[in-house]
Amino acid sequence: MKNTQEDVQENQLKRGLTNRHIQLIALGGSIGTGLFLGIGPAAVLAGPSVILGYAVAGIIAFFIMRQLGEMVVEEPVSGSFSHFAYKYCGSFAGFASGWNYWILYILVSMAELTAIGVYVQFWWPEIPLWASSLFFFLVINALNFASVKVYGETEFWFSIIKVVAIIAMILFGTYLLISGTGGEHATIHNLYNDGGFFPKGFFEKTPSGSFQGLLSAMALIMFSFGGLELIGITAAEAENPEKNIPKATNQVIYRILIFYVGALVILFALSPWQQITTDSSPFVMVFQNLNGMEFELFGNKIFFTRLIANVLNLIVLTAALSVYNSSVYSNSRMLYGLADQGNAPKFLMKLNKQSVPINAILISSCFAAICIIINKIIPEEAFSILMSLVVSSLIINWVMISYTHLKFRQSKDKENTKTKFPSLFYPVSNYICFVFLFGILSIMWITNMKLSVELIPIWLGILFVCYKVFKTKI
């Protein structure tokens, strides 16, 4: 009996993530490339109105997080929503949601590695995207072979850097606006000058046949919120999940208001929206444009130098590394959870001496490495292609979470069980999420992201065939 217990313990993930780790991991999941780089294409399509788009999408993301949080607090297990889909919606639902989440974060990994290359080229344009992607691919994966505490500690400090940087940028940008030292173009009037708050309208077709306006940018805005579900993945390795998961989940809405809406208001106020491009981070660009100007701080004259843009670029690089680090972590734990359910080969449950699912990391890394090839072949289009595919997978993921939550609550209601962390406005919020998400798909279908929508039924069909053919062999 002793050996049996030891074998079980050796095959289980260890609860090594403390409260501070959980809080910062949740925070880090909401601040990444979607904000620092993805805002560029969205701003070009819609102008300052993307601020409203981020606020609306953020509310939907918060509803989804509360729905997931309610399930996770009741059953803090590996595999997260794949486990719940399997339990409350059936075997195929668990199989499909788990593998879709895995492919989602493979695509996120590719997008982040591509963004890392873009940030590196800010300093060294001669370095190809694939070379930077390969270097950081090796570094981050090596870190994840260590214990979960190493991951938690790494992500803690990555997130600290992001949080401090955004708060400092918001405060400094506010000072520049109030003091009038941000340059002749820096004014709060930028939010509604040059065509108003909706300079491109809501959804308008251009003479070239493309679409512009707030609604056309919503799919790009959605990309920014991929990663918030990470808190559900940490449940199996979190200390005191009943206390720490709700605390982290409830803070999501404040983070969205401060870090997204607040930062974007400052961004658009410091520079006219027409100057924003898709080539680099708009945040870096705005502060780079201040190069050579002077401002007064505590009675001292200080000159802007390229150093400020360099520091900011280092911070956005850190943000991308943080999200990629989280992607490696979440993918390996999802594969572990799928194997534990019987929806993936059992060898993916193999743990090293640090209780890390080493085979799951290796397999996920092999697929994420495809990004290096993509960046080698089509470096100009790589990020936009990956971003559109991420949004499609993200929508499948969120629809499954919200639908599974409906089934979960129906089951609990039949048992007359009162959950510890009930979601907001159930079941109305679930149906609001459905309408919003299918609305995003409709917009993608009409715009130039139609291919990403067409791939959804093909992808689900592939998952169904794999389920039927390979499930019995696993």
Side-chain angles (χ1 to χ4, degrees):
M1 179 63 70
K2 181 179 179 181
N3 290 336
T4 302
Q5 290 175 340
E6 288 176 353
D7 291 339
V8 171
Q9 290 175 351
E10 288 176 359
N11 210 36
Q12 290 180 342
L13 300 175
K14 300 295 187 292
R15 295 192 181 276
L17 296 177
T18 64
N19 177 52
R20 68 184 179 90
H21 292 144
I22 297 297
Q23 298 298 320
L24 269 296
I25 287 170
L27 181 53
S30 61
I31 305 172
T33 300
L35 173 63
F36 290 120
L37 187 59
I39 182 60
V44 169
L45 284 174
S49 64
V50 295
I51 298 171
L52 176 61
Y54 273 89
V56 172
I59 292 171
I60 299 298
F62 182 59
F63 284 157
I64 297 287
M65 286 303 302
R66 283 297 301 259
Q67 293 160 17
L68 177 59
E70 181 176 5
M71 295 187 289
V72 165
V73 170
E74 288 299 307
E75 302 175 41
V77 296
S78 63
S80 188
F81 41 84
S82 173
H83 162 83
F84 300 116
Y86 184 86
K87 182 174 180 179
Y88 296 101
C89 300
S91 181
F92 174 66
F95 181 92
S97 63
W99 282 107
N100 177 74
Y101 184 83
W102 179 77
I103 200 68
L104 164 63
Y105 266 89
I106 291 296
L107 293 169
V108 169
S109 297
M110 293 180 178
E112 296 300 331
L113 284 170
T114 302
I116 287 168
V118 173
Y119 299 145
V120 170
Q121 285 185 337
F122 176 79
W123 295 306
W124 301 289
E126 67 278 7
I127 296 180
L129 286 180
W130 68 267
S132 302
S133 300
L134 177 60
F135 175 77
F136 287 105
F137 167 83
L138 296 173
V139 171
I140 296 298
N141 278 282
L143 282 174
N144 274 269
F145 286 135
S147 69
V148 69
K149 284 188 176 182
V150 172
Y151 160 73
E153 204 62 34
T154 303
E155 192 56 31
F156 175 84
W157 289 107
F158 273 158
S159 295
I160 284 288
I161 292 172
K162 290 190 287 186
V163 171
V164 171
I166 291 181
I167 292 176
M169 185 188 68
I170 291 173
L171 294 176
F172 184 53
T174 302
Y175 169 78
L176 292 177
L177 291 170
I178 293 175
S179 65
T181 53
E184 59 180 343
H185 297 296
T187 169
I188 197 69
H189 301 305
N190 285 332
L191 295 176
Y192 48 85
N193 282 345
D194 302 316
F197 188 68
F198 298 92
K200 300 292 187 74
F202 280 93
F203 194 61
E204 299 177 1
K205 194 171 185 177
T206 66
S208 64
S210 61
F211 288 87
Q212 63 183 16
L214 176 59
L215 294 181
S216 67
M218 287 305 297
L220 302 178
I221 291 171
M222 279 284 294
F223 174 78
S224 301
F225 293 99
L228 288 173
E229 321 91 331
L230 180 60
I231 190 173
I233 300 296
T234 66
E237 295 172 280
E239 295 178 357
N240 196 4
E242 289 187 10
K243 177 182 177 182
N244 294 333
I245 298 293
K247 188 175 181 181
T249 302
N250 281 333
Q251 291 176 357
V252 167
I253 190 66
Y254 305 111
R255 295 169 190 141
I256 290 169
L257 291 174
I258 295 173
F259 298 116
Y260 278 88
V261 177
L264 291 178
V265 167
I266 296 300
L267 173 70
F268 283 100
L270 285 176
S271 176
W273 64 268
Q274 298 97 324
Q275 295 184 10
I276 296 177
T277 67
T278 61
D279 300 331
S280 62
S281 169
F283 292 95
V284 176
M285 180 210 71
V286 166
F287 282 93
Q288 186 179 17
N289 290 343
L290 296 174
N291 187 31
M293 297 175 58
E294 69 175 38
F295 68 98
E296 189 171 305
L297 184 63
F298 302 124
N300 299 313
K301 288 188 175 181
I302 301 176
F303 288 89
F304 278 104
T305 67
R306 185 176 168 84
L307 176 63
I308 294 176
N310 285 331
V311 170
L312 193 54
N313 194 65
L314 179 62
I315 290 165
V316 297
L317 172 61
T318 301
L321 289 172
S322 167
V323 177
Y324 178 56
N325 187 39
S326 293
S327 297
V328 175
Y329 169 83
S330 61
N331 260 343
S332 61
R333 271 54 178 188
M334 180 55 75
L335 281 186
Y336 177 93
L338 285 167
D340 190 33
Q341 297 165 15
N343 285 325
K346 290 297 182 185
F347 80 90
L348 292 171
M349 292 185 69
K350 178 179 173 58
L351 305 179
N352 63 12
K353 293 180 179 179
Q354 289 75 38
S355 298
V356 170
I358 184 169
N359 287 343
I361 291 178
L362 290 172
I363 293 297
S364 297
S365 299
C366 288
F367 282 88
I370 296 172
C371 161
I372 298 168
I373 300 174
I374 294 175
N375 284 329
K376 175 70 175 177
I377 300 173
I378 48 171
E380 292 81 10
E381 297 88 13
F383 183 73
S384 60
I385 292 173
L386 291 169
M387 187 162 62
S388 63
L389 292 174
V390 165
V391 173
S392 295
S393 298
L394 179 63
I395 289 174
I396 296 173
N397 186 37
W398 282 14
V399 168
M400 277 305 305
I401 290 174
S402 202
Y403 179 73
T404 300
H405 177 259
L406 281 175
K407 294 295 185 180
F408 164 84
R409 281 295 296 266
Q410 289 169 8
S411 175
K412 295 301 178 184
D413 290 344
K414 286 181 181 179
E415 298 170 0
N416 292 319
T417 301
K418 187 176 181 180
T419 57
K420 304 180 185 73
F421 184 50
S423 64
L424 294 176
F425 311 123
Y426 164 83
V428 175
S429 62
N430 298 71
Y431 295 115
I432 291 174
C433 291
F434 292 146
V435 171
F436 177 84
L437 294 171
F438 285 112
I440 295 294
L441 285 179
S442 300
I443 294 169
M444 292 172 66
W445 177 266
I446 297 172
T447 60
N448 60 358
M449 299 174 77
K450 182 177 180 180
L451 178 61
S452 298
V453 181
E454 292 175 333
L455 289 175
I456 290 178
I458 296 174
W459 168 235
L460 293 176
I462 291 172
L463 287 174
F464 184 74
V465 170
C466 291
Y467 171 77
K468 287 295 186 181
V469 173
F470 300 112
K471 169 68 174 174
T472 56
K473 298 180 180 180
I474 293 176

mmCIF file of all heavy atoms in Angstrom, residues 24-45:
data_model
loop_
_atom_site.group_PDB
_atom_site.id
_atom_site.type_symbol
_atom_site.label_atom_id
_atom_site.label_comp_id
_atom_site.label_asym_id
_atom_site.label_seq_id
_atom_site.Cartn_x
_atom_site.Cartn_y
_atom_site.Cartn_z
ATOM 1 N N LEU A 24 -0.388 37.641 -9.202
ATOM 2 C CA LEU A 24 0.401 38.236 -10.279
ATOM 3 C C LEU A 24 0.293 37.441 -11.573
ATOM 4 O O LEU A 24 0.388 38.010 -12.665
ATOM 5 C CB LEU A 24 1.865 38.362 -9.850
ATOM 6 C CG LEU A 24 2.256 39.688 -9.171
ATOM 7 C CD1 LEU A 24 2.086 40.847 -10.151
ATOM 8 C CD2 LEU A 24 1.426 39.953 -7.923
ATOM 9 N N ILE A 25 0.080 36.124 -11.488
ATOM 10 C CA ILE A 25 -0.140 35.333 -12.702
ATOM 11 C C ILE A 25 -1.438 35.766 -13.371
ATOM 12 O O ILE A 25 -1.515 35.936 -14.594
ATOM 13 C CB ILE A 25 -0.171 33.818 -12.381
ATOM 14 C CG1 ILE A 25 1.251 33.328 -12.058
ATOM 15 C CG2 ILE A 25 -0.751 33.014 -13.552
ATOM 16 C CD1 ILE A 25 1.285 31.916 -11.504
ATOM 17 N N ALA A 26 -2.474 35.972 -12.562
ATOM 18 C CA ALA A 26 -3.750 36.443 -13.100
ATOM 19 C C ALA A 26 -3.589 37.823 -13.720
ATOM 20 O O ALA A 26 -4.150 38.118 -14.781
ATOM 21 C CB ALA A 26 -4.795 36.483 -11.990
ATOM 22 N N LEU A 27 -2.815 38.669 -13.074
ATOM 23 C CA LEU A 27 -2.586 40.013 -13.579
ATOM 24 C C LEU A 27 -1.751 39.972 -14.854
ATOM 25 O O LEU A 27 -2.046 40.648 -15.839
ATOM 26 C CB LEU A 27 -1.876 40.845 -12.509
ATOM 27 C CG LEU A 27 -1.576 42.302 -12.835
ATOM 28 C CD1 LEU A 27 -2.840 42.998 -13.284
ATOM 29 C CD2 LEU A 27 -0.984 42.992 -11.632
ATOM 30 N N GLY A 28 -0.714 39.123 -14.856
ATOM 31 C CA GLY A 28 0.151 39.009 -16.023
ATOM 32 C C GLY A 28 -0.588 38.493 -17.242
ATOM 33 O O GLY A 28 -0.296 38.865 -18.376
ATOM 34 N N GLY A 29 -1.580 37.631 -17.016
ATOM 35 C CA GLY A 29 -2.341 37.086 -18.127
ATOM 36 C C GLY A 29 -3.176 38.124 -18.849
ATOM 37 O O GLY A 29 -3.591 37.916 -19.985
ATOM 38 N N SER A 30 -3.431 39.253 -18.202
ATOM 39 C CA SER A 30 -4.259 40.293 -18.817
ATOM 40 C C SER A 30 -3.432 41.444 -19.382
ATOM 41 O O SER A 30 -3.988 42.408 -19.898
ATOM 42 C CB SER A 30 -5.254 40.848 -17.789
ATOM 43 O OG SER A 30 -4.573 41.427 -16.691
ATOM 44 N N ILE A 31 -2.117 41.370 -19.297
ATOM 45 C CA ILE A 31 -1.253 42.431 -19.823
ATOM 46 C C ILE A 31 -0.196 41.797 -20.706
ATOM 47 O O ILE A 31 0.700 41.116 -20.212
ATOM 48 C CB ILE A 31 -0.558 43.217 -18.700
ATOM 49 C CG1 ILE A 31 -1.572 43.769 -17.710
ATOM 50 C CG2 ILE A 31 0.273 44.339 -19.279
ATOM 51 C CD1 ILE A 31 -0.937 44.388 -16.490
ATOM 52 N N GLY A 32 -0.307 41.986 -21.993
ATOM 53 C CA GLY A 32 0.669 41.374 -22.880
ATOM 54 C C GLY A 32 0.697 42.040 -24.238
ATOM 55 O O GLY A 32 0.384 43.223 -24.392
ATOM 56 N N THR A 33 1.037 41.247 -25.247
ATOM 57 C CA THR A 33 1.191 41.755 -26.600
ATOM 58 C C THR A 33 -0.093 42.351 -27.139
ATOM 59 O O THR A 33 -0.077 43.283 -27.938
ATOM 60 C CB THR A 33 1.683 40.615 -27.514
ATOM 61 O OG1 THR A 33 2.945 40.150 -27.019
ATOM 62 C CG2 THR A 33 1.858 41.082 -28.932
ATOM 63 N N GLY A 34 -1.244 41.810 -26.710
ATOM 64 C CA GLY A 34 -2.517 42.347 -27.183
ATOM 65 C C GLY A 34 -2.682 43.814 -26.872
ATOM 66 O O GLY A 34 -3.263 44.577 -27.651
ATOM 67 N N LEU A 35 -2.167 44.245 -25.725
ATOM 68 C CA LEU A 35 -2.221 45.654 -25.355
ATOM 69 C C LEU A 35 -1.084 46.432 -26.002
ATOM 70 O O LEU A 35 -1.297 47.464 -26.635
ATOM 71 C CB LEU A 35 -2.153 45.800 -23.830
ATOM 72 C CG LEU A 35 -2.038 47.237 -23.296
ATOM 73 C CD1 LEU A 35 -3.263 48.058 -23.669
ATOM 74 C CD2 LEU A 35 -1.846 47.235 -21.783
ATOM 75 N N PHE A 36 0.135 45.943 -25.887
ATOM 76 C CA PHE A 36 1.297 46.716 -26.297
ATOM 77 C C PHE A 36 1.502 46.769 -27.812
ATOM 78 O O PHE A 36 1.986 47.762 -28.339
ATOM 79 C CB PHE A 36 2.559 46.161 -25.639
ATOM 80 C CG PHE A 36 2.624 46.420 -24.157
ATOM 81 C CD1 PHE A 36 2.698 45.380 -23.256
ATOM 82 C CD2 PHE A 36 2.591 47.706 -23.668
ATOM 83 C CE1 PHE A 36 2.759 45.612 -21.895
ATOM 84 C CE2 PHE A 36 2.648 47.966 -22.309
ATOM 85 C CZ PHE A 36 2.732 46.912 -21.412
ATOM 86 N N LEU A 37 1.159 45.685 -28.527
ATOM 87 C CA LEU A 37 1.369 45.648 -29.973
ATOM 88 C C LEU A 37 0.051 45.561 -30.727
ATOM 89 O O LEU A 37 -0.145 46.202 -31.752
ATOM 90 C CB LEU A 37 2.264 44.454 -30.338
ATOM 91 C CG LEU A 37 2.729 44.361 -31.797
ATOM 92 C CD1 LEU A 37 3.524 45.599 -32.186
ATOM 93 C CD2 LEU A 37 3.562 43.102 -32.016
ATOM 94 N N GLY A 38 -0.898 44.763 -30.206
ATOM 95 C CA GLY A 38 -2.158 44.552 -30.896
ATOM 96 C C GLY A 38 -3.020 45.794 -31.007
ATOM 97 O O GLY A 38 -3.886 45.875 -31.883
ATOM 98 N N ILE A 39 -2.808 46.777 -30.136
ATOM 99 C CA ILE A 39 -3.602 47.999 -30.187
ATOM 100 C C ILE A 39 -3.345 48.768 -31.475
ATOM 101 O O ILE A 39 -4.210 49.516 -31.950
ATOM 102 C CB ILE A 39 -3.293 48.899 -28.955
ATOM 103 C CG1 ILE A 39 -4.150 50.176 -28.962
ATOM 104 C CG2 ILE A 39 -1.823 49.269 -28.906
ATOM 105 C CD1 ILE A 39 -5.616 49.938 -28.937
ATOM 106 N N GLY A 40 -2.183 48.593 -32.082
ATOM 107 C CA GLY A 40 -1.842 49.312 -33.315
ATOM 108 C C GLY A 40 -2.840 49.079 -34.439
ATOM 109 O O GLY A 40 -3.472 50.029 -34.929
ATOM 110 N N PRO A 41 -3.033 47.817 -34.882
ATOM 111 C CA PRO A 41 -4.006 47.552 -35.950
ATOM 112 C C PRO A 41 -5.423 47.970 -35.573
ATOM 113 O O PRO A 41 -6.176 48.462 -36.421
ATOM 114 C CB PRO A 41 -3.915 46.025 -36.120
ATOM 115 C CG PRO A 41 -2.552 45.657 -35.629
ATOM 116 C CD PRO A 41 -2.274 46.613 -34.510
ATOM 117 N N ALA A 42 -5.802 47.797 -34.297
ATOM 118 C CA ALA A 42 -7.148 48.173 -33.855
ATOM 119 C C ALA A 42 -7.326 49.683 -33.925
ATOM 120 O O ALA A 42 -8.385 50.181 -34.343
ATOM 121 C CB ALA A 42 -7.396 47.670 -32.440
ATOM 122 N N ALA A 43 -6.317 50.429 -33.515
ATOM 123 C CA ALA A 43 -6.397 51.893 -33.533
ATOM 124 C C ALA A 43 -6.469 52.424 -34.961
ATOM 125 O O ALA A 43 -7.168 53.413 -35.239
ATOM 126 C CB ALA A 43 -5.197 52.497 -32.813
ATOM 127 N N VAL A 44 -5.763 51.798 -35.881
ATOM 128 C CA VAL A 44 -5.808 52.205 -37.283
ATOM 129 C C VAL A 44 -7.216 52.030 -37.845
ATOM 130 O O VAL A 44 -7.700 52.847 -38.633
ATOM 131 C CB VAL A 44 -4.790 51.392 -38.113
ATOM 132 C CG1 VAL A 44 -5.002 51.611 -39.608
ATOM 133 C CG2 VAL A 44 -3.365 51.786 -37.736
ATOM 134 N N LEU A 45 -7.914 50.980 -37.414
ATOM 135 C CA LEU A 45 -9.262 50.703 -37.904
ATOM 136 C C LEU A 45 -10.325 51.592 -37.279
ATOM 137 O O LEU A 45 -11.320 51.924 -37.926
ATOM 138 C CB LEU A 45 -9.633 49.234 -37.631
ATOM 139 C CG LEU A 45 -9.012 48.172 -38.526
ATOM 140 C CD1 LEU A 45 -9.376 46.787 -38.021
ATOM 141 C CD2 LEU A 45 -9.479 48.348 -39.967
#
